[in-house]
């Protein structure tokens, strides 16, 4: 029942604070909760192990995803660094100013047949399986965060996808960003917020799912 409650109550909400006046950094209790949320992500199913080329560094698990979680202090520091580096971050810095945490979730593609550049990959079935498994890890993270009382937003990454940001955080170039998962406090005060635009457009379950009995097979 608690799982269903978390699924139904999860909401996409973008929280925007003034980068020059960020929220207070999180305390130790929040930091412990964040670690529990991240650990929950790791229970996602996966079909194939990550290629060995991704398993030689500090993060050497066989799972085909990696989570690079920035605590609130690192989020605020990234704002200052990006402004000093002249990186156009747009609303990313406003979200970093409000975030309790921002987790850059990457998936680990099999090595391409040739060298084609940053975040390029082959359109193979194994890579599709890696993306699916990593997406399941993201959903676990979102639901666990909802259960702990955080507000969540799954961003495609924007400026966080850049090589400069990858290098600053220490993310290997061979990883591909699946999303930047922002966790915000439940009480955001008078900060600007924007809900997900498509939530109410998904329609009733009958419009996107079928349950078939044996007599309905063709």
């Amino acid at each position: 029942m608690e799982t269903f409650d978390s699924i139904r109550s999860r909401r996409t909400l973008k929280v925007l604070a003034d980068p020059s006046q960020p929220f207070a950094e999180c305390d130790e209790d929040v930091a412990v909760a964040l670690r529990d949320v991240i650990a929950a992500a790791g229970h996602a199913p996966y079909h194939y192990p990550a290629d060995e080329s991704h398993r030689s560094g500090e993060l050497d698990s066989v799972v085909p995803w990696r989570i690079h979680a920035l605590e609130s202090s690192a989020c605020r520091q990234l704002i200052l660094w990006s402004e000093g580096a002249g990186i156009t971050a747009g609303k990313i810095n406003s979200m970093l100013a409000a975030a309790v945490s921002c987790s850059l979730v990457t998936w680990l593609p099999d090595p391409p047949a040739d060298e084609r550049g940053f975040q390029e990959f082959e359109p193979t079935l194994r890579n599709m399986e890696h993306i699916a498994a990593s997406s399941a890890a993201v959903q676990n993270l979102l639901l666990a965060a909802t259960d702990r009382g955080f507000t969540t937003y799954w961003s495609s990454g924007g400026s966080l996808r850049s090589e400069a940001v990858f290098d600053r955080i220490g993310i290997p170039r061979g990883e591909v960003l699946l999303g930047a998962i922002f966790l915000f406090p439940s009480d955001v005060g008078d900060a600007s917020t924007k809900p997900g635009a498509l939530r109410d457009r998904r329609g009733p379950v009958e419009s996107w799912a079928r349950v078939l009995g044996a007599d309905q097979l063709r």
Side-chain angles (χ1 to χ4, degrees):
M1 290 298 295
E2 291 179 358
T3 299
F4 276 86
D5 288 343
S6 295
I7 291 172
R8 293 186 181 114
S9 60
R10 185 204 61 79
R11 294 289 187 275
T12 293
L13 188 69
K14 184 185 297 184
V15 180
L16 305 169
D18 184 342
S20 67
Q21 297 179 326
F23 286 9
E25 295 177 8
C26 65
D27 59 24
E28 185 58 32
D29 288 343
V30 173
V32 170
L34 288 174
R35 285 165 174 76
D36 289 342
V37 166
I38 293 167
H43 291 279
Y46 64 101
H47 194 179
Y48 296 111
D51 185 82
E52 290 186 4
S53 62
H54 296 291
R55 294 154 51 191
S56 59
E58 176 186 359
L59 304 181
D60 59 0
S61 171
V62 300
V63 299
W65 63 79
R66 296 291 183 261
I67 298 178
H68 306 273
L70 304 178
E71 294 184 337
S72 57
S73 58
C75 290
R76 312 302 187 259
Q77 182 59 40
L78 196 61
I79 295 172
L80 298 175
W81 170 80
S82 64
E83 290 175 345
I87 294 174
T88 302
K91 293 181 180 179
I92 291 293
N93 277 356
S94 295
M95 288 191 286
L96 287 172
V100 168
S101 173
C102 175
S103 291
L104 274 63
V105 182
T106 61
W107 69 277
L108 312 181
D110 290 341
D114 53 15
E115 293 296 329
R116 292 176 298 161
F118 180 58
Q119 294 200 346
E120 296 269 348
F121 56 91
E122 302 282 2
T124 63
L125 178 60
R126 279 179 59 97
N127 277 338
M128 184 175 72
E129 293 273 7
H130 293 335
I131 295 170
S134 302
S135 297
V138 169
Q139 182 69 348
N140 277 2
L141 193 156
L142 292 171
L143 294 179
T146 298
D147 182 70
R148 291 293 190 270
F150 296 112
T151 298
T152 65
Y153 182 75
W154 183 346
S155 168
S156 59
S159 60
L160 298 176
R161 306 188 71 88
S162 70
E163 294 183 38
V165 171
F166 265 49
D167 291 345
R168 175 66 175 175
I169 297 175
I171 302 176
R173 294 285 185 90
E175 299 180 18
V176 181
L177 186 66
L178 181 62
I181 312 304
F182 288 88
L183 305 187
F184 304 109
S186 57
D187 182 3
V188 300
D190 58 358
S192 175
T193 61
K194 184 178 180 180
L198 299 177
R199 181 179 182 84
D200 296 331
R201 294 179 57 186
R202 66 188 75 204
V205 63
E206 295 81 10
S207 70
W208 47 262
R210 298 189 300 153
V211 180
L212 304 176
D215 59 341
Q216 295 171 290
L217 299 180
R218 297 177 180 178

